[in-house]
Amino acid sequence: MSGKAPRLSEEGLIARHFAPLAGPGADGLRDDAASLAPTPGHDLVLTVDAVVAGVHYFPDDPPASVAAKALAVNLSDLAAKGAAPRGFLLTLALSPDWTEDWLAAFAGGLGAAAARHGCPLLGGDTVRAAGPTLVSVTAFGEVPAGGIVRRGTARPGDVICVSGTIGDAALGLRLRLEPEAAWARALTPEDRAHLADRYLHPRPRLALAPAIRRCATAAMDVSDGLVGDLAKMLPGRGATVEIAAVPLSPAAAAAIRLAPDLIDAALSGGDDYEILCTVAPRDLDAFRAAAAEAGVPVAAIGTVAAGEGAPLFREPDGGVRRFARGAFSHF
Amino acid sequence: MSGKAPRLSEEGLIARHFAPLAGPGADGLRDDAASLAPTPGHDLVLTVDAVVAGVHYFPDDPPASVAAKALAVNLSDLAAKGAAPRGFLLTLALSPDWTEDWLAAFAGGLGAAAARHGCPLLGGDTVRAAGPTLVSVTAFGEVPAGGIVRRGTARPGDVICVSGTIGDAALGLRLRLEPEAAWARALTPEDRAHLADRYLHPRPRLALAPAIRRCATAAMDVSDGLVGDLAKMLPGRGATVEIAAVPLSPAAAAAIRLAPDLIDAALSGGDDYEILCTVAPRDLDAFRAAAAEAGVPVAAIGTVAAGEGAPLFREPDGGVRRFARGAFSHF
């Protein structure tokens, strides 16, 4: 309500760091709004997610990585809905100790990620926060009209599929929190680097969007952990997942061999940013073929049940594994 | 990065407080994204603005007022672009001391404001903040294709117009900060209430959007003060504003009679959320007529000059008034 001693005006900051990132319709960030029209015959898909220092990332993470993550977690939502990215808006609440170096690196990383994913900056708002830095991104994608793939529309008998590998990011986070744990020290440097990188740099599965649109009956991204997210996808519905079928990276498999309880972190931890979707059995071959064409590995891990209940995770010996917690919750 | 003791899950919180506000395309907030298609032949207009406790509002402001303000400041941007509202996304970062009572009142106020303005909730993200509460709203409007009214497109000779009255909110903020000032104590209770209410409850000028679209050569909303915002609208361009022509409410006029220096706060303070626009002289009558039809008072306060320079604010005696500061800046 009262201005502090000015460092750089918001206008100056935007012109210097963010205007170079502006896409069509953004008017060079010289206006308070952008215009965007979907391709004729398409709907826009809208999603918003925020990352907060100390909650979703470490305050000392590289600013370019923070920026890339803030965009990637939103593009991951677009991918899960079958959407192709069109652009994004940014809310940046800077903690009192922000520096222009941090901001320059953040903007550089944001621009690189935006270019990589074909998703330009359309506008934003920058405010100061008395607390930790917060980055909120609103991302816009598009799908052919009526084509958004929903989360809650799986049908009994559908095959449950995931992309990529599960658990790497959760184990990468564990590595950050417990670098001296016996299992952490026993991993190869390459395996440690892989897990740490999966936590720091989510890779939105945008290439899979067309296959999802064509073949999936329901889809979401795995952001709060496979166990909790599958329960969200199938509220009150039964399902069976074969734990042995859940794809693990060599690094995650090595960590779990060293400390078998880490399977819980891998399956119920978060930050995978892989796709979780359901596919009718008759469409499974087509889905696999479309995913292969897109260069994205997919695996069938279970089946949606006919009755009510909760998703069950089956051990190789037929037993059912229980998890201490479901999805990550911020509250 | 590590969960605190859970109070209410994010899903539970959304289902209880926000799902009742969900509009078409939001799938009852049971998904991670919404779909939105503009009316055929229209573009979407996108804008984002955040309000932070202790910066943009007082932490003890009524939560329903905070919610209404967070939406209103964005709808004000849509109005200035000539857009009709279609919906919004919400990022809510809750300070550690949030209570469910606060949240219930916030959601109630948000729903009431959304209904009043015909702008439903389409989705959101709720996170915890280690600092003050932050509310970021991304609002979507629409204009006929190509019809967005830009900020930087005024032409020499255009008439500068504003809606409503200027300075009320800035004086309302002063009242909050200096309730015991002589001028504050000398105002009538009605005048004090008027000024305080203008600060607390911005009124987006959505009714004026069609007139802006039809008649304005450029437009923006006055959020950071008339002096600074006019300079933003006319970067490097000259203009003359007659201070006597700037419309004041009876309450603001009374305050300025009591303490003449308050004219500076009125003209360079922020939070007016009135429309500042330029109109070609030949369209001025049509603009006035359209504004009158919309029930929104408008006033011509000056003229865009032909040459370079900065906007000049002229006193009734012909002198030029200087202002200690330009636009409110958060940095």
Side-chain angles (χ1 to χ4, degrees), chain B residues 6 13 36 55 74 85 102 137 141 180 204 208 214 273 305 307 316 319 327:
Chain B
L13 179 160
L36 179 66
V55 179
N74 281 283
W102 190 95
V137 166
E180 298 305 323
L208 201 58
R214 241 176 294 148
Y273 299 104

Side-chain angles (χ1 to χ4, degrees), chain A residues 1 31-32 34 46-47 81 138, chain B residues 31-32 34 46-47 55 81 138:
Chain A
M1 278 138 333
D31 203 342
D32 301 311
L46 322 169
T47 188
K81 304 294 101 185
T138 306
Chain B
D31 203 341
D32 301 311
L46 322 170
T47 188
V55 179
K81 303 294 101 186
T138 305

Side-chain angles (χ1 to χ4, degrees), chain A residues 73-84:
Chain A
V73 303
N74 281 282
L75 297 184
S76 179
D77 280 322
L78 293 185
K81 304 294 101 185

Side-chain angles (χ1 to χ4, degrees), chain B residues 239-318:
Chain B
T240 306
V241 170
E242 304 298 337
I243 292 176
V246 175
L248 300 176
S249 70
I256 292 167
R257 272 194 306 274
L258 289 161
D261 283 352
L262 286 176
I263 186 72
D264 279 11
L267 296 180
S268 68
D271 294 318
D272 293 295
Y273 299 104
E274 295 289 357
I275 300 294
L276 170 64
C277 64
T278 54
V279 178
R282 69 173 176 283
D283 294 327
L284 190 58
D285 286 346
F287 180 62
R288 286 186 197 279
E293 201 180 324
V296 180
V298 294
I301 62 169
T303 311
V304 180
E308 299 189 352
L312 302 179
F313 283 72
R314 254 203 320 234
E315 306 271 16
D317 66 7

Side-chain angles (χ1 to χ4, degrees), chain B residues 12-329:
Chain B
L13 179 160
I14 291 167
R16 187 181 303 175
H17 297 293
F18 293 111
L21 282 55
D27 198 26
L29 305 187
R30 289 179 304 265
D31 203 341
D32 301 311
S35 72
L36 179 66
T39 304
H42 288 63
D43 295 336
L44 286 181
V45 175
L46 322 170
T47 188
V48 63
D49 262 319
V51 297
V52 180
V55 179
H56 304 89
Y57 67 90
F58 289 84
D60 62 349
D61 280 346
S65 299
V66 174
K69 178 180 277 195
L71 184 58
V73 302
N74 281 283
L75 297 184
S76 179
D77 280 322
L78 293 185
K81 303 294 101 186
R86 288 293 310 273
F88 72 102
L89 300 174
L90 171 73
T91 298
L92 180 58
L94 287 167
S95 72
D97 61 351
W98 72 277
T99 64
E100 188 147 357
D101 282 351
W102 190 95
L103 194 69
F106 177 89
L110 191 65
R116 195 161 58 242
H117 299 304
C119 188
L121 179 64
L122 299 179
D125 189 25
T126 309
V127 296
R128 63 186 168 86
T133 291
L134 173 149
V135 188
S136 179
V137 166
T138 305
F140 309 98
E142 65 180 23
V143 290
I148 188 171
V149 180
R150 287 302 191 183
R151 186 170 92 178
T153 42
R155 293 167 304 200
D158 283 353
V159 179
I160 300 166
C161 297
V162 293
S163 64
T165 57
I166 294 294
D168 293 322
L171 299 179
L173 172 58
R174 273 298 179 90
L175 275 182
R176 290 284 290 271
L177 296 172
E178 310 166 6
E180 298 305 323
W183 66 270
R185 284 185 292 113
L187 283 179
T188 67
E190 292 72 22
D191 284 347
R192 279 200 299 271
H194 171 83
L195 298 175
D197 186 67
R198 286 294 306 271
Y199 173 73
L200 199 56
H201 296 124
R203 299 170 306 189
R205 293 296 193 178
L206 289 164
L208 201 58
I212 294 166
R213 220 165 47 232
R214 241 176 294 148
C215 305
T217 55
M220 69 186 296
D221 71 334
V222 186
S223 55
D224 293 340
L226 178 63
V227 172
D229 283 340
L230 186 62
K232 282 186 207 167
M233 193 187 207
L234 303 168
R237 303 275 291 282
T240 306
V241 170
E242 304 298 337
I243 292 176
V246 175
L248 300 176
S249 70
I256 292 167
R257 272 194 306 274
L258 289 161
D261 283 352
L262 286 176
I263 186 72
D264 279 11
L267 296 180
S268 68
D271 294 318
D272 293 295
Y273 299 104
E274 295 289 357
I275 300 294
L276 170 64
C277 64
T278 54
V279 178
R282 69 173 176 283
D283 294 327
L284 190 58
D285 286 346
F287 180 62
R288 286 186 197 279
E293 201 180 324
V296 180
V298 294
I301 62 169
T303 311
V304 180
E308 299 189 352
L312 302 179
F313 283 72
R314 254 203 320 234
E315 306 271 16
D317 66 7
V320 169
R321 191 168 190 99
R322 309 267 166 210
F323 296 90
R325 67 182 193 114
F328 178 79
S329 172

